[in-house]
Amino acid sequence: MPLSELDAAAILELERHSRTHGSGLDAEALRGGWRLQRLWDRQARPMQAAAALLRPLAASLSLTPGSNGELAVRNSVGLGSLELRFEGGGELRGRRPLLVFWFDRLEMRLAGRRLWQRPLARPAERSLPFFALIASRQEGEEAWLVARGRGGGLALWWREPLSRSGAAVRR
């Protein structure tokens, strides 16, 4: 399904299918950088103001599978060459699956150079944030990922292009 056709109704239908059959997503399918495009609240009403604020800030999620089944997770926003970055780990759980994650470091960077960093305590297991992975399109220029967060909102990201090494190329 093209990105342009992903409205709330289409995503809710994909979610119904995912709840019954799972999304089929694995860590390798999540590899790369994902730029936030659209948000919906718990009832699937568009959150256009929040998405309009986060898109210019280049809100993104970066996922890199590790050899031990864990994922390196980075969530960031930026303004020009200034970037605020949360870094940590995560893992996939269950058949749907859930991407459960935690952050252990907060950094501020300017032009790729770290200006400041602070360690973060890992929350208790029952308080860890997660995304219930609903569906993804992996191929083509319009690769996308949609998930429901712990708070109930829906998020749609498109994949940033990958370099030959498999790393995300930020636009």
Side-chain angles (χ1 to χ4, degrees):
M1 178 177 297
L3 189 63
S4 60
E5 294 178 20
L6 282 172
D7 61 6
I11 289 173
L12 291 175
E13 184 57 37
L14 288 168
E15 185 175 33
R16 278 189 282 284
H17 183 269
S18 174
R19 283 185 176 157
T20 304
H21 304 289
S23 67
L25 294 172
D26 60 15
E28 205 48 51
L30 301 174
R31 177 185 296 278
W34 299 91
R35 185 72 58 98
L36 184 67
Q37 285 300 299
R38 294 186 217 144
L39 294 169
W40 294 267
D41 68 11
R42 181 182 297 270
Q43 288 77 35
R45 293 180 302 234
M47 296 176 60
Q48 293 171 340
L53 173 66
L54 291 170
R55 273 192 308 269
L57 293 176
S60 66
L61 174 68
S62 177
L63 302 165
T64 307
S67 58
N68 60 355
E70 201 169 278
L71 290 143
V73 179
R74 180 176 67 224
N75 206 347
S76 64
V77 292
L79 188 57
S81 60
L82 185 64
E83 179 185 29
L84 183 64
R85 178 188 286 191
F86 291 86
E87 293 189 348
E91 61 189 27
L92 297 176
R93 295 182 186 168
R95 168 175 77 91
R96 190 171 187 186
L98 290 180
L99 168 59
V100 178
F101 59 96
W102 54 90
F103 297 116
D104 51 27
R105 184 172 66 234
L106 172 62
E107 292 183 350
M108 181 158 308
R109 293 178 164 259
L110 181 62
R113 298 185 67 168
R114 186 174 49 219
L115 298 176
W116 173 84
Q117 97 173 359
R118 177 178 177 211
L120 300 172
R122 183 172 170 168
E125 184 69 24
R126 69 185 185 296
S127 301
L128 288 173
F130 64 81
F131 288 118
L133 302 176
I134 295 171
S136 179
R137 175 180 171 184
Q138 297 296 313
E139 66 281 341
E141 290 291 314
E142 286 194 351
W144 51 262
L145 172 67
V146 65
R148 187 176 291 275
R150 181 180 185 101
L154 292 163
L156 170 66
W157 296 274
W158 60 262
R159 184 193 303 268
E160 295 176 326
L162 296 176
S163 70
R164 290 180 188 211
S165 69
V169 176
R170 295 203 54 138
R171 295 187 212 188

